[in-house]
Amino acid sequence: ELPGEKARIESAGGQVVSHNGQQKILLDRSLLAVARAFGDAKFKQCDVANNSSGGPIVCCVPAVDIIKLQQNDDFLIVASDGVWDALTDLEAVGIVQSRVEQTAAGRGEALTQEDLTKAAQALITKARSKGSTDNATA
């Protein structure tokens, strides 16, 4: 959660609500898991009457963090909001970790492209089974 993000959304006329223990944006009778996204053009329209900031509720300006990976980091998960709509960070890590342990990497060998693809597919499958109907990419 970015400092000031909730205030930015609310000043643009949006509403932040708690849904299944996660913060979501309530907009046009939809719950959005992200406040910054590429695409979703209909959510970037400004409602001038209810918008004191002049900006859209969902914006395409990315929030960028630079994180130095450490020697003991096993993997990095990059996924779209369809995955994060349904899975918590810990659930996603557990799914990928389980897949990694089932592969050659579990025996100390290098991960293959096939191993990575299976881990990504497992994330998407779990997100769909938990009700995600949005674009799920990992």
Side-chain angles (χ1 to χ4, degrees):
E1 186 173 308
L2 293 172
E5 194 72 355
K6 182 177 180 184
R8 182 192 68 76
I9 292 163
E10 290 172 344
S11 72
Q15 183 180 3
V16 178
V17 297
S18 181
H19 179 74
N20 293 334
Q22 296 181 330
Q23 297 295 309
K24 306 277 185 176
I25 299 172
L26 179 61
L27 182 64
D28 193 27
R29 289 185 260 161
S30 297
L31 287 174
L32 301 176
V34 295
R36 296 170 181 264
F38 298 108
D40 292 326
K42 71 178 184 173
F43 297 123
K44 293 188 179 106
Q45 306 296 319
C46 291
D47 178 358
V48 177
N50 295 313
N51 186 334
S52 61
S53 73
I57 294 168
V58 177
C59 70
C60 63
V61 177
V64 178
D65 289 324
I66 298 173
I67 301 169
K68 185 174 182 176
L69 297 178
Q70 304 297 315
Q71 183 78 20
N72 61 344
D73 288 331
D74 294 325
F75 49 81
L76 173 70
I77 300 173
V78 179
S80 65
D81 62 331
V83 171
W84 304 121
D85 283 345
L87 302 176
T88 66
D89 295 353
L90 290 177
E91 288 173 313
V93 167
I95 291 165
V96 173
Q97 187 67 50
S98 174
R99 282 291 178 178
V100 167
E101 290 170 356
Q102 294 172 17
T103 66
R107 297 183 302 276
E109 300 172 18
L111 284 168
T112 65
Q113 183 65 42
E114 182 180 354
D115 295 334
L116 298 172
T117 299
K118 286 181 179 179
Q121 289 171 337
L123 282 174
I124 294 165
T125 299
K126 185 63 171 180
R128 294 266 186 248
S129 75
K130 290 186 74 175
S132 177
T133 58
D134 202 349
N135 173 35
T137 306

